[in-house]
Amino acid sequence: MIPDQILLRLGELTLKGKNRSKFENRALTEVSRVMEAFPKTKITKTFGRVYVELHGEPYEDIADRLKKVIGISSFSPVYAVQSELKAIQQKALEVMQHLKHQPKTFKVTAKRAHKPFPHGSQEMNHLVGGYILHHTEYLKVDVHEPDLELKVEVRKEGTFIFSEIIQGAKGLPVGSSGKAMLMLSGGIDSPVAGYLAMRRGIRIEAVHFHSYPYTSERAKQKVIDLTRKLTCYTREIRLHLVPFTDIQTKLAQGGSDNLLITFMRRAMFRITEKLAHKNEAMAIITGENLGQVASQTMSSISVINKVNTIPVLRPLITMEKAEIIAMSKQIDTYETSILPYEDCCTIFLPKSPATNPSLKVVEKQESWMKWLDEEIEKAVEQTEVISIKEEQPSELDLF
Ligand code: ATP
Ligand code: MG
């Protein structure tokens, strides 16, 4: 049975007044973007509700796509019929008979929004519920805790019938919380961190450090592919590719093997902060997760964090690895993330990285690296920017 339209529930329940309509409008912009692939659909707003009229476009494909729209809390397929009792009863029965999961108990909640319609809401509950009971065998009515609630809304232009509620991605629409730079490594964690940040309304630009020729073109393509996966939640993401080879080689030649990761990370964060200022972003997002590796102990994070003046957001910091993996599968980045292409950090990985670096020692040794500031400026200047859009061949247009 093919629905005629889809009812969308937008925004978070806690949002009120002006904020609410602002968020709803942003979410609607996202819905319109996604519906560009289904040109016959029409988005309408009636009685404060938002509907997507299908006009023959495929419901299942559209539903799959809507599940990924940040800002939609849930949606329901809606069946329309003329506002005439017999037609409503028959359609309601048909809807009940075509449910994916057959309930044991149900109730009808009718609403008469069209006063000239001869039956009131309460009466309609009985007329429709009774008709369904009469034409089915195992169903029972339970008005308190039904397995399924069948809603029947009688309007002048027609009656809408719906019951199924499909959960959406929820969250705040992308862009409603400002912009941040996502440090995107090519591993499992950072794309998930990017998704979670977007789900709280943050627009992201990705930053990737590569050590070409130690890291290959394929490693770069992998990060481009991961970024493209994330564009499913927003129209476009800019990817900043930072040449990191010179800094890494110089740091590696410096001798302090066990602090190498700390120096590398501090350089990465300094560069990312500069890129944030250049691109009017307010924060940095990473896929760091407490205690996984040497650079992600509390004391390492604290020493690395000292170089930043803007907030560093770490959405995954307390998550279980299994939860992160499950989420990366859900957002479809997992298969790309596990491709075995080398990362700039793993190439220069020291044998025994410090898990408890001393800020004093780190700052002192850095002060001896007279070349560092200049190299950081150079890396920022030589950063290549690619604009990545959904499902398009990657264009290497330099900014
Ligand atoms: P991931 O799975 O995201 O790679 P991880 O658990 O492997 O994370 P690290 O490799 O130590 O941990 O990286 C921690 C975080 O630092 C990453 O999540 C990412 O935000 C950032 N990062 C690491 N390497 C890079 C890189 N080459 N370019 C950009 N950001 C990076
Ligand atoms: Mg990694």
Side-chain angles (χ1 to χ4, degrees):
M1 198 181 174
I2 301 163
D4 301 282
Q5 29 189 310
I6 303 173
L7 164 64
L8 305 181
R9 297 176 195 85
L10 303 176
E12 295 211 321
L13 292 175
T14 49
L15 289 171
K16 297 251 152 55
K18 225 178 170 183
N19 264 347
R20 185 167 189 98
S21 56
K22 206 170 91 189
F23 285 128
E24 281 184 357
N25 285 337
R26 276 189 195 272
L28 263 185
T29 312
E30 272 301 288
V31 175
S32 319
R33 176 179 77 78
V34 167
M35 288 307 137
E36 282 169 15
F38 306 97
K40 279 188 254 156
T41 57
K42 197 174 149 211
I43 299 168
T44 54
K45 241 176 152 176
T46 331
F47 294 100
R49 288 242 185 96
V50 179
Y51 296 89
V52 177
E53 292 176 10
L54 298 184
H55 298 289
E57 294 283 6
Y59 168 72
E60 294 295 340
D61 294 349
I62 293 177
D64 278 348
R65 205 55 197 81
L66 285 176
K67 280 181 201 159
K68 291 187 173 172
V69 175
I70 293 172
I72 294 185
S73 56
S74 69
F75 61 91
S76 299
V78 176
Y79 302 87
V81 66
Q82 72 210 72
S83 288
E84 191 269 310
L85 181 61
K86 193 84 198 146
I88 296 171
Q89 286 173 321
Q90 281 169 355
K91 193 75 168 183
L93 176 65
E94 201 186 335
V95 170
M96 289 298 287
Q97 286 169 333
H98 285 86
L99 288 171
K100 273 194 202 116
H101 307 285
Q102 278 299 324
K104 288 195 177 71
T105 59
F106 80 108
K107 80 166 175 184
V108 174
T109 307
K111 205 163 93 187
R112 179 180 58 170
H114 178 50
K115 290 295 167 218
F117 188 76
H119 311 284
S121 304
Q122 198 57 27
E123 194 189 346
M124 278 302 277
N125 290 345
H126 293 288
L127 287 170
V128 177
Y131 187 86
I132 291 170
L133 278 178
H134 189 74
H135 290 86
T136 50
E137 265 179 64
Y138 306 106
L139 272 172
K140 282 198 180 108
V141 170
D142 179 346
V143 287
H144 302 295
E145 265 185 271
D147 294 342
L148 183 126
E149 185 177 359
L150 186 75
K151 304 223 184 197
V152 176
E153 295 191 358
V154 184
R155 305 229 183 101
K156 188 177 172 205
E157 68 277 17
T159 294
F160 290 172
I161 301 173
F162 58 94
S163 64
E164 204 184 342
I165 294 180
I166 297 151
Q167 296 304 315
K170 305 195 167 47
L172 304 173
V174 178
S176 56
S177 305
K179 189 164 77 178
M181 307 304 277
L182 167 70
M183 293 174 70
L184 188 64
S185 65
I188 294 170
D189 301 350
S190 35
V192 176
Y195 167 69
L196 287 175
M198 283 196 279
R199 226 179 58 169
R200 287 328 285 166
I202 300 175
R203 183 174 302 290
I204 57 169
E205 294 201 13
V207 181
H208 177 70
F209 294 84
H210 65 87
S211 290
Y212 190 76
Y214 299 105
T215 55
S216 64
E217 275 296 321
R218 284 190 311 184
K220 178 172 161 182
Q221 188 58 45
K222 177 180 171 181
V223 175
I224 292 175
D225 293 344
L226 283 172
T227 309
R228 179 158 299 119
K229 294 266 180 198
L230 293 176
T231 58
C232 147
Y233 305 97
T234 180
R235 189 174 283 277
E236 176 184 13
I237 298 178
R238 277 156 46 96
L239 169 64
H240 302 254
L241 293 159
V242 187
F244 204 51
T245 323
D246 289 352
I247 293 179
Q248 264 189 317
T249 341
K250 284 192 167 160
L251 287 174
Q253 283 160 359
S256 287
D257 203 36
N258 62 335
L259 287 178
L260 182 57
I261 290 276
T262 314
F263 293 138
M264 262 167 45
R265 290 258 178 238
R266 281 168 62 96
M268 279 185 177
F269 277 94
R270 285 178 64 187
I271 293 167
T272 308
E273 176 150 336
K274 282 181 189 289
L275 291 173
H277 289 312
K278 252 179 121 167
N279 294 284
E280 289 161 1
M282 287 186 278
I284 295 171
I285 296 153
T286 78
E288 285 163 303
N289 182 238
L290 203 57
Q292 261 186 357
V293 286
S295 63
Q296 296 183 31
T297 59
M298 278 277 266
S299 51
S300 263
I301 287 177
S302 121
V303 169
I304 293 162
N305 202 70
K306 280 280 192 295
V307 297
N308 288 115
T309 61
I310 59 173
V312 178
L313 310 178
R314 301 176 170 90
L316 311 185
I317 198 73
T318 60
M319 274 170 81
E320 291 288 322
K321 192 72 191 179
E323 290 171 351
I324 300 172
I325 289 175
M327 193 164 271
S328 77
K329 287 181 178 164
Q330 185 199 322
I331 63 168
D332 195 30
T333 52
Y334 182 75
E335 295 300 327
T336 311
S337 286
I338 57 172
L339 292 173
Y341 309 136
E342 55 311 286
D343 178 53
C344 69
C345 297
T346 40
I347 281 173
F348 290 85
L349 202 65
K351 275 173 219 80
S352 56
T355 50
N356 189 14
S358 145
L359 180 63
K360 253 192 178 161
V361 174
V362 168
E363 283 181 341
K364 188 156 192 185
Q365 292 202 21
E366 267 180 9
S367 73
W368 297 336
M369 303 173 193
K370 299 294 176 215
W371 51 269
L372 187 59
D373 289 353
E374 205 178 299
E375 284 294 337
I376 282 178
E377 284 305 331
K378 203 178 89 190
V380 171
E381 268 163 38
Q382 292 179 352
T383 293
E384 172 194 4
V385 189
I386 316 177
S387 179
I388 296 183
K389 296 190 177 91
E390 193 176 15
E391 305 296 344
Q392 277 174 7
S394 56
E395 307 150 34
L396 287 165
D397 46 336
L398 246 63
F399 281 66

